[in-house]
Amino acid sequence: MIARAMLGLALIAGALASPVAAAPAPPAASAALRPALDALQALDTRVQSVGWKLAAGNARWCARPVPAIGLQLFDAASFGDPGAVRAALALPGDIAVEAVADGSPAGSAGLSPHLPVSAIAGKPTEPAGAPPLRSAYARLVALHDAIDAALVATNSVTLAVGSGAATRTVTITGQPVCASRFEMLTEDNHAAADGTRVVVSRKLVEFLPADDELAALLAHELAHNILGHRARLDASGRSWGNILATEREADRLSVWLLAAAGYDPEAALRFMARWGPANDNGIFSTPDHDRWKTRIERMTREIAALRTAVAADPAHEVNWPRDFARG
């Protein structure tokens, strides 16, 4: 089960733990928040950039690619003291850019972290007289949904960015990607996929300093979405055997997704060798996942099959819809 994702916007302990209605933080206190906010933003950028490379690099092979721009938004209301956060980042309102994926249309359009976003597709991000927030996460989901809806309708989206006299409107054209949003959790220590999202905990992102190993983790979860595993389990039931079958399939497809995106597929082996020894519960492991050494053996065989298929392909392409054997 996926815990409620905060799109990387955590309740940072200490200064940000005060209620929303708290008095404005003094300048020194707000300034002290900046390093923590910058560290969080850097991790979010890693997740978005690696996720983008996987989703864009495999778009030609996904059955139903969607247009995207590689943008993740920020909502100061996600924090215990939004005023302190706005002051720390010099924001006129709650909504701004959190992360821009490397090589994405959002980056090419000149968007950058902490740039205020006041309108999406002509509609204010913080409309006057709006009812009280049900949750900041729900608002972020709605804003990302608005971006996606505009992209699906016209393959482009307009954003009003900046503040005051420096406000400008940018129109960004979408690029096809495999359909999945990438989000960073700020609690727990896991990664998961729900059919439309891939979420990964901050602890795991920090545990994986190499981007190719982070890509291996995200590729496994993206494989679940591409292969429709949630719908399959909804239909067949979540027995240990059924879950194990989907986990094995995701492990195997992940190496193809890595290779198609330009990553070394053996990063999946390095990730498992790093993660497995600290997370394998031995005889107490549940039977819905193989032991980590078994998973490495299976992925090693899959990498050999991948390389054989690529060598035989006239264009030496990683054509996993043709060459990957499901089951």
Side-chain angles (χ1 to χ4, degrees):
M1 179 180 293
I2 296 175
R4 184 170 72 99
M6 290 300 293
L7 292 173
L9 305 181
L11 290 174
I12 297 174
L16 293 187
S18 54
V20 171
S30 293
L33 301 178
R34 185 61 185 259
L37 293 168
D38 286 344
L40 191 62
Q41 184 275 323
L43 292 173
D44 271 325
T45 297
R46 277 193 72 206
V47 171
Q48 294 303 313
S49 295
V50 173
W52 176 267
K53 186 173 178 178
L54 286 168
N58 284 279
R60 64 179 299 193
W61 304 123
C62 282
R64 291 179 296 277
V66 298
I69 60 172
L71 173 67
Q72 180 187 5
L73 296 176
F74 171 98
D75 191 339
S78 296
F79 295 82
D81 189 344
V85 173
R86 289 193 297 269
L89 300 177
L91 299 177
D94 286 338
I95 309 302
V97 172
E98 167 68 357
V100 175
D102 292 343
S104 68
S108 297
L111 302 190
S112 58
H114 310 148
L115 182 68
V117 180
S118 56
I120 296 171
K123 296 182 179 179
T125 54
E126 300 177 69
L133 287 178
R134 178 164 59 88
S135 75
Y137 179 66
R139 177 161 71 175
L140 274 173
V141 169
L143 293 175
H144 283 96
D145 284 348
I147 292 173
D148 289 349
L151 289 168
V152 168
T154 67
N155 198 39
S156 66
V157 61
T158 59
L159 305 174
V161 299
S163 60
T167 300
R168 58 192 173 94
T169 299
V170 295
T171 300
I172 308 175
T173 301
Q175 178 179 328
V177 300
C178 296
S180 279
R181 291 180 186 173
F182 294 85
E183 303 176 5
M184 189 175 74
L185 295 166
T186 53
E187 55 189 16
D188 300 324
N189 185 28
H190 76 285
D194 69 355
T196 60
R197 297 181 303 154
V198 168
V199 297
V200 58
S201 69
R202 177 174 182 167
K203 287 183 180 179
L204 271 176
V205 178
E206 293 175 327
F207 178 70
L208 299 170
D211 281 353
D212 61 352
E213 292 182 26
L214 176 60
L217 171 63
L218 297 182
H220 172 93
E221 301 303 337
L222 179 60
H224 281 307
N225 287 347
I226 289 173
L227 294 170
H229 283 163
R230 180 172 183 174
R232 174 171 151 186
L233 292 173
D234 285 344
S236 63
R238 286 175 169 75
S239 67
W240 277 339
N242 288 343
I243 295 173
L244 178 59
T246 63
E247 292 299 327
R248 287 174 173 174
E249 197 172 48
D251 274 349
R252 293 174 49 241
L253 182 60
S254 70
V255 302
W256 295 81
L257 299 181
L258 285 168
Y263 288 108
D264 178 2
E266 292 194 8
L269 312 182
R270 294 192 292 274
F271 160 73
M272 193 58 63
R274 182 189 300 273
W275 176 87
N279 292 276
D280 193 324
N281 292 321
I283 63 172
F284 300 105
S285 298
T286 57
D288 55 355
H289 285 74
D290 287 315
R291 303 286 294 276
W292 68 274
K293 289 183 180 179
T294 300
R295 296 176 73 175
I296 284 179
E297 291 169 359
R298 182 172 288 106
M299 288 189 291
T300 298
R301 292 193 296 271
E302 196 66 36
I303 290 170
L306 180 159
R307 287 175 172 158
T308 297
V310 170
D313 186 275
H316 298 294
E317 291 185 318
V318 184
N319 187 335
W320 51 260
R322 181 192 64 199
D323 298 324
F324 173 72
R326 294 199 63 169

